Amino acid sequence: MVGQRFIQLLENHPWFEVAWLAASERSAEKSYGEAVKWRMKTPLPKQIAEMKVSPAVANGSPKIIFAALDADIARELEPQFAENGSAVISNSSAWRMHPSVPLVIPEVNADHLGLIETQEWRKKSGGFIVTNANCSAIGLVLALAPLHAKFGIEKLFVATMQAVSGAGYPGVPSIDILGNVIPFIKNEEEKMEIETRKMLGELKGNEVQLADFGMAAHCNRVPVEDGHTESVSVSFKKKATAERILESWSSFRSVPQELKLPHAPAEPVIYDPRVDRPQPRFDVDRGNGMSSTCGRLRPCSLLDWKFTVLSHNTIRGAAGAALLNAELLKVKGYLG
Ligand SMILES: NC(=O)c1ccc[n+]([C@@H]2O[C@H](COP(=O)([O-])OP(=O)(O)OC[C@H]3O[C@@H](n4cnc5c(N)ncnc54)[C@H](OP(=O)(O)O)[C@@H]3O)[C@@H](O)[C@H]2O)c1
């Protein structure tokens, strides 16, 4: 799913061009058109369909690798590419929490890229690994970052309703998910709780200090094609009014907007005041799938405030996130 989204987003990219494709041995040596079950709503580009899929070996691979591998495979393969001198821009959870690996949302913690210089691969070959977070953590953190900066999060509760495309292809069998809700996504709650605090943490010297707040996540799979919706309750260390929260979201602009990166959304966080929005069917593609859409801001009777946030899991939550990381890396001079 994420690999296909990369191909879609890289078509006509002003800076990057698909030079090499790799997947498992099931696909290697086939043309991409034969190997893939194309699930995007735009046509598969002809020249990509004709490219041969290579085995996923680092020797001779290009300088920038957009990786969308299962975590067990990524744990083993990504270091081999970094060791070989490639910039590995990864979607997998395998290396996200490693102390020398940046876990980055360019609007939130672009400075964490400084960790790259502490990586052994970088010192040996110039290669490195940079990661983006779990798809539900990214949308949430975009909405929280301007609030955390002003008011300081004290406690955070979130319940997710996550789309089926988040489980990859073919993902959850239709008989299990149609007309149903599955209240379990393996390791998802643990990932959300720790990755949120790493991204909102501070880079001090050569390490990221996790943001200091308590968090509980409940993760559910729902029969939605694309788009993770999240119900959030939050309390702050400083007093936050509704007006100041709304103003924090509407004025939120950061490094990608200042640098005019090709995949930067004009508005990273959009607030929709309608009582029944955001909804994945109507709002998932806002900002070309790169914005988080918030709605239903109201007082919470347990914590301070509650609201809903929606983001596109394979664009802002995966391939688009990695692409924005790559664009930032290029502008910052990390891609040579
Ligand atoms: N889907 C999302 O919304 C989302 C969001 C954020 C992060 N992620 C993460 O991104 C990664 C990919 O997710 P996905 O949803 O795209 O999964 P997916 O649809 O199952 O795709 C996995 C890909 O990994 C390849 N692969 C498997 N074993 C391999 C091996 N031994 N060597 C080389 N390639 C191998 C597969 O190749 P074949 O095509 O040959 O089988 C396939 O292309 C996962 O770590 C996931 O957690 C996904």
Side-chain angles (χ1 to χ4, degrees):
M1 290 310 298
V2 181
Q4 295 187 29
R5 191 62 82 179
F6 270 127
I7 285 173
Q8 185 192 51
L9 297 181
L10 283 163
E11 192 182 5
N12 305 320
H13 193 278
W15 302 344
F16 307 126
E17 179 181 296
V18 178
W20 185 81
L21 294 166
S24 76
E25 54 192 29
R26 291 180 291 275
S27 309
E29 307 305 333
K30 293 182 186 165
S31 71
Y32 184 74
E34 282 175 290
V36 76
K37 195 148 185 184
W38 185 250
R39 282 291 170 266
M40 299 294 107
K41 288 171 185 162
T42 52
L44 169 58
K46 189 168 175 294
Q47 77 283 10
I48 301 286
E50 288 168 358
M51 282 174 74
K52 195 164 94 171
V53 179
S54 299
V57 286
N59 197 4
S61 58
K63 163 161 97 173
I64 309 170
I65 303 291
F66 290 107
L69 292 163
D70 302 307
D72 289 347
I73 316 241
R75 193 165 294 112
E76 190 187 322
L77 278 186
E78 289 179 354
Q80 295 174 18
F81 286 90
E83 184 104 22
N84 194 49
S86 294
V88 179
I89 298 156
S90 167
N91 274 280
S92 149
S93 60
W95 291 91
R96 286 177 193 153
M97 292 307 299
H98 189 280
S100 68
V101 172
L103 178 63
V104 174
I105 299 178
E107 283 92 342
V108 176
N109 60 342
D111 62 316
H112 290 198
L113 289 182
L115 288 178
I116 288 172
E117 301 306 343
T118 69
Q119 297 183 10
E120 289 305 314
W121 311 297
R122 175 77 167 166
K123 291 175 197 159
K124 273 194 230 159
S125 66
F128 56 87
I129 299 178
V130 167
T131 57
N132 51 263
N134 173 281
C135 38
S136 36
I138 295 180
L140 174 71
V141 168
L142 261 182
L144 291 174
L147 310 185
H148 186 56
K150 284 198 186 134
F151 314 116
I153 296 170
E154 185 181 55
K155 283 186 191 155
L156 180 62
F157 170 89
V158 56
T160 70
M161 291 148 272
Q162 300 185 213
V164 286
S165 60
Y169 191 83
V172 192
S174 57
I175 196 94
D176 291 347
I177 193 69
L178 281 174
N180 200 13
V181 171
I182 301 175
F184 175 68
I185 305 174
K186 196 173 175 202
N187 298 331
E188 194 83 349
E189 295 174 351
E190 294 81 353
K191 285 189 232 172
M192 274 195 85
E193 290 175 7
I194 195 79
E195 292 174 14
T196 297
R197 294 178 56 216
K198 182 167 178 178
M199 288 183 283
L200 291 173
E202 277 181 60
L203 182 67
K204 294 255 170 78
N206 282 342
E207 64 181 68
V208 172
Q209 290 183 354
L210 300 186
D212 178 23
F213 56 79
M215 174 172 177
H218 295 234
C219 294
N220 304 285
R221 185 76 69 199
V222 297
V224 163
E225 185 185 358
D226 289 316
H228 292 349
T229 308
E230 308 180 33
S231 296
V232 183
S233 281
V234 59
S235 63
F236 297 110
K237 291 172 185 153
K238 293 185 198 156
K239 186 174 164 53
T241 61
E243 290 67 29
R244 290 196 68 204
I245 292 174
L246 294 175
E247 198 281 321
S248 304
W249 282 332
S250 66
S251 63
F252 182 44
R253 302 288 183 276
S254 186
V255 176
Q257 288 72 35
E258 283 153 24
L259 295 174
K260 297 189 175 18
L261 299 181
H263 275 82
E267 294 174 88
V269 182
I270 296 169
Y271 185 77
D272 191 322
R274 286 173 286 185
V275 288
D276 59 352
R277 303 294 271 269
Q279 294 181 21
R281 180 180 298 163
F282 303 115
D283 301 311
V284 74
D285 291 323
R286 289 200 178 189
N288 294 321
M290 289 296 283
S291 297
S292 274
T293 305
C294 294
R296 303 210 63 222
L297 179 68
R298 61 218 190 275
C300 175
S301 45
L302 284 179
L303 302 181
D304 295 339
W305 291 99
K306 53 186 178 176
F307 60 90
T308 305
V309 59
L310 165 73
S311 61
H312 198 304
N313 53 294
T314 64
I315 302 182
R316 180 48 104 155
L323 209 43
L324 197 61
N325 281 349
E327 292 168 357
L328 178 65
L329 286 162
K330 180 184 181 304
V331 171
K332 296 281 177 193
Y334 284 99
L335 300 183

